[in-house]
Amino acid sequence: MQHCAFCGKPAAKRCSRCQSAFYCSAEHQKADWKKHKTTCSPPGTESAPPQPTPEEREEFIIDAYRLRLDDDYALGGCNLHGVYNPDSTKHDIVLDFLTYCKLAVRNGVIPRGWNWERFLGKAASLIGYAFEKSDAQEKWKSGFASLELRVIAERVYGTSALSQENSEASDDVTDTVEELQTISFPALLESDRCSPRPAALFQDVGSLPLWASLHRNLEAPDRPEGPFDEYDAADDDGEDDGEDDGEDDGEDDGKDGGVDGDDNAGDV
């Protein structure tokens, strides 16, 4: 015997739409509708799960990269890159993420029309911090989150962390990005005004200014900007020494010459 979903008494009438809720009267069906309508659907249909927002999809792609860093360290033979490499500068961290993003585009993980400005803006607050399996499960409220993130990373890199090998595409992109290893982002922006080459390296992943902004805004505690300050300082010292030596020598020679000339004139 079925019972009324509203009052619990024996009921013989059922909801004509879902065929699963019973009522003892039309009045009780009407009274229960506000609650029942949230689950009422025709037989054989299920409520579609809520779709992630564009912002959530973008952050999931970022977290797939972050978890891969941890997997490469823990499962991949202590393969340290990105923020997991203790010697990495902010410049190194950004270039490692650039490699990931270029591979994600090449392998169809990141589609056309991607909002790179919003994506990289969010990455600035995330990729400078470690991220483990437990973090993924807690953040995304799912025991399967780490598995889903790993699947994405495998699609991007073409291999699993356990393989301890790089795909041919990964090696190819890594070689391209290595061209930027010794050039600061300010220098890249400056050279972009003279040559199309720097900008071309970033065309598939947004733009050079957006990646320069990521480097500038990256949250990576206790990490230096890059190796460039030291090189620039050495160059500046060299330039100053050269200018000072040249000016001092020239002035001294001129003064000495003047004195000698006066002395000679006196002898005459």
Side-chain angles (χ1 to χ4, degrees):
M1 179 181 292
Q2 302 296 334
H3 295 82
C4 178
F6 184 73
C7 68
K9 294 181 179 181
K13 299 179 180 180
R14 72 173 69 193
C15 174
S16 61
R17 185 166 185 258
C18 68
Q19 302 291 312
S20 62
F22 285 79
Y23 296 95
C24 63
S25 66
E27 288 78 11
H28 281 190
Q29 181 180 14
K30 183 176 180 180
D32 190 52
W33 175 242
K34 184 175 181 180
K35 176 183 176 182
H36 177 59
K37 68 180 181 180
T38 60
T39 58
C40 183
S41 59
T45 63
E46 297 179 356
S47 299
Q51 295 298 310
T53 65
E55 290 83 358
E56 289 173 335
R57 287 197 296 270
E58 291 160 7
E59 192 163 341
F60 207 72
I61 296 292
I62 296 171
D63 282 350
Y65 164 76
R66 299 172 70 202
L67 185 61
R68 180 57 178 258
L69 295 181
D70 189 76
D71 284 347
D72 281 345
Y73 160 65
L75 308 175
C78 202
N79 176 14
L80 301 177
H81 59 110
V83 73
Y84 274 69
N85 183 347
D87 296 325
S88 289
T89 64
K90 289 185 178 181
H91 189 80
D92 297 326
I93 294 171
V94 171
L95 292 188
D96 190 68
F97 188 59
L98 174 63
T99 299
Y100 171 81
C101 289
K102 289 179 78 69
L103 283 168
V105 171
R106 175 180 289 197
N107 293 326
V109 176
I110 291 180
R112 294 188 178 186
W114 196 248
N115 190 326
W116 286 101
E117 182 175 7
R118 185 174 61 203
F119 176 70
L120 295 178
K122 188 62 179 179
S125 65
L126 295 175
I127 64 173
Y129 298 96
F131 189 73
E132 302 177 354
K133 176 181 177 180
S134 58
D135 297 321
Q137 293 172 338
E138 180 179 356
K139 177 177 179 178
W140 295 104
K141 311 299 182 185
S142 169
F144 297 100
S146 59
L147 175 61
E148 294 170 352
L149 292 170
R150 284 167 173 157
V151 168
I152 290 174
E154 286 186 19
R155 286 181 58 199
V156 171
Y157 287 108
T159 59
S160 70
L162 289 171
S163 72
Q164 300 183 24
E165 296 180 355
N166 294 329
S167 66
E168 183 176 344
S170 180
D171 287 337
D172 182 36
V173 171
T174 299
D175 291 342
T176 300
V177 173
E178 281 184 352
E179 296 180 27
L180 310 173
Q181 194 67 48
T182 59
I183 310 174
S184 69
F185 277 97
L188 284 169
L189 289 169
E190 182 65 29
S191 62
D192 182 41
R193 299 187 181 97
C194 306
S195 168
R197 174 61 176 168
L201 295 175
F202 295 87
Q203 284 181 346
D204 57 338
V205 288
S207 68
L208 172 54
L210 288 179
W211 282 87
S213 179
L214 169 62
H215 176 265
R216 183 170 57 252
N217 298 322
L218 178 64
E219 296 179 16
D222 304 321
R223 297 301 177 100
E225 299 292 329
F228 313 107
D229 291 340
E230 180 181 350
Y231 298 152
D232 292 341
D235 292 340
D236 290 343
D237 290 342
E239 292 175 4
D240 292 343
D241 292 343
E243 291 176 358
D244 292 343
D245 291 345
E247 291 177 358
D248 292 343
D249 292 343
E251 291 176 2
D252 291 343
D253 291 343
K255 292 178 181 178
D256 293 343
V259 171
D260 291 343
D262 292 343
D263 290 342
N264 291 334
D267 293 339
V268 172

